[in-house]
């Protein structure tokens, strides 16, 4: 039986494999889902993706399905309630940044028509198709993620350093960093 070749970071955990096989690197154009990925990548700072992926359902529940209009209305009382919730990462700065980032997403939507249109402009509106041969050739950041980070910060976004922005770009298919040996590389280029 032929074994499926994947990017090594997917490991053996069924949830990580499912995420790798069905989501990571697939172009996302839905504002709500883009906001979700930006939030989760920021929450990951200093932690493993597996930790965040295991908490993803709880994040979706407590952050109103990542509806930016609803999250933007979260008040101090709601933030304190989230700080007491062990199902998410209880970091005040990360929780507060989700609320302020929701407000910033709404501002971007008003100005550009959609968050999607704004963030995809950093890659010229179409995925960057990389041909990485090993995990050592995958950068932590790029000129595009540097530009995105700077622009988002100027608009009031938080937890959007260049490394976080690059992970966001990888997750949402703005860049294809599946290794060329991975069965998903060609599929996400289609």
């Amino acid at each position: 039986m032929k074994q499926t070749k994947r990017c090594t970071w997917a490991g053996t955990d069924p949830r990580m494999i499912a995420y790798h096989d069905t989501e990571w690197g697939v172009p996302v154009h839905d504002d709500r889902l883009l906001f979700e990925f930006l939030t989760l990548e920021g929450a990951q700072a200093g932690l493993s993706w597996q930790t965040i992926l295991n908490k993803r359902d709880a994040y979706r529940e407590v952050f109103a399905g990542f509806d930016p209009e609803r999250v933007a209305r979260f008040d101090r009382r709601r933030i304190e309630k989230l700080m007491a919730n062990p199902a998410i990462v209880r970091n005040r700065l990360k929780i507060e940044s989700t609320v302020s980032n929701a407000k910033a997403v709404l501002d971007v939507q008003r100005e550009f028509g959609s968050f999607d249109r704004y963030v995809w402009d950093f890659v010229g509106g179409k995925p960057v198709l990389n041909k990485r041969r090993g995990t050592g050739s995958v950068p932590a950041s790029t000129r595009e993620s540097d530009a995105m980070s700077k622009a988002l910060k100027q608009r009031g976004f938080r937890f959007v350093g260049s490394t976080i922005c690059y992970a966001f770009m990888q997750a949402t298919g703005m860049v294809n960093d599946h290794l060329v040996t991975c069965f998903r590389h060609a599929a996400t280029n289609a």
Side-chain angles (χ1 to χ4, degrees):
M1 186 169 153
K2 186 177 176 184
Q3 189 169 15
T4 302
K5 289 199 175 245
R6 292 181 173 85
C7 299
T8 55
W9 64 261
T12 59
D13 178 79
R15 188 173 285 195
M16 289 286 285
I17 290 170
Y19 172 71
H20 170 274
D21 291 0
T22 63
E23 286 188 85
W24 193 74
V26 175
V28 173
H29 293 284
D30 175 77
D31 280 8
R32 184 204 58 78
L33 193 53
L34 288 165
F35 175 51
E36 175 178 340
F37 274 113
L38 189 65
T39 299
L40 296 178
E41 294 297 348
Q44 181 193 353
L47 303 169
S48 73
W49 179 248
Q50 187 169 7
T51 296
I52 300 305
L53 194 58
N54 288 336
K55 294 176 178 285
R56 187 178 191 185
D57 291 337
Y59 268 90
R60 284 176 170 164
E61 182 180 334
V62 302
F63 285 106
F66 290 101
D67 177 342
E69 287 186 21
R70 292 178 62 196
V71 175
R73 293 192 303 265
F74 283 16
D75 58 13
R76 284 269 149 230
R77 194 172 43 145
R78 186 82 172 258
I79 290 170
E80 291 307 319
K81 188 175 177 184
L82 291 170
M83 284 295 298
N85 188 337
I88 65 168
V89 176
R90 293 177 289 177
N91 176 302
R92 182 174 301 281
L93 294 177
K94 291 178 180 181
I95 291 170
E96 289 174 346
S97 76
T98 302
V99 177
S100 62
N101 287 354
K103 294 173 185 175
V105 165
L106 295 176
D107 289 342
V108 166
Q109 287 174 331
R110 279 189 285 277
E111 186 174 343
F112 295 90
S114 70
F115 188 53
D116 168 63
R117 182 176 299 137
Y118 180 73
V119 295
W120 274 86
D121 194 45
F122 290 96
V123 293
K126 60 183 189 211
V128 174
L129 308 176
N130 294 316
K131 293 183 176 158
R132 314 253 189 231
R133 299 214 167 272
T135 55
S137 67
V138 179
S141 63
T142 61
R143 283 189 331 268
E144 293 85 0
S145 68
D146 292 346
M148 179 185 282
S149 173
K150 183 178 179 182
L152 289 175
K153 287 177 182 177
Q154 288 174 341
R155 293 184 167 281
F157 285 85
R158 295 169 29 203
F159 278 91
V160 289
S162 187
T163 300
I164 289 171
C165 285
Y166 195 65
F168 169 70
M169 294 167 94
Q170 291 171 308
T172 60
M174 291 179 210
V175 297
N176 179 358
D177 271 347
H178 282 285
L179 301 180
V180 293
T181 55
C182 175
F183 84 102
R184 292 292 296 153
H185 183 268
T188 54
N189 278 347

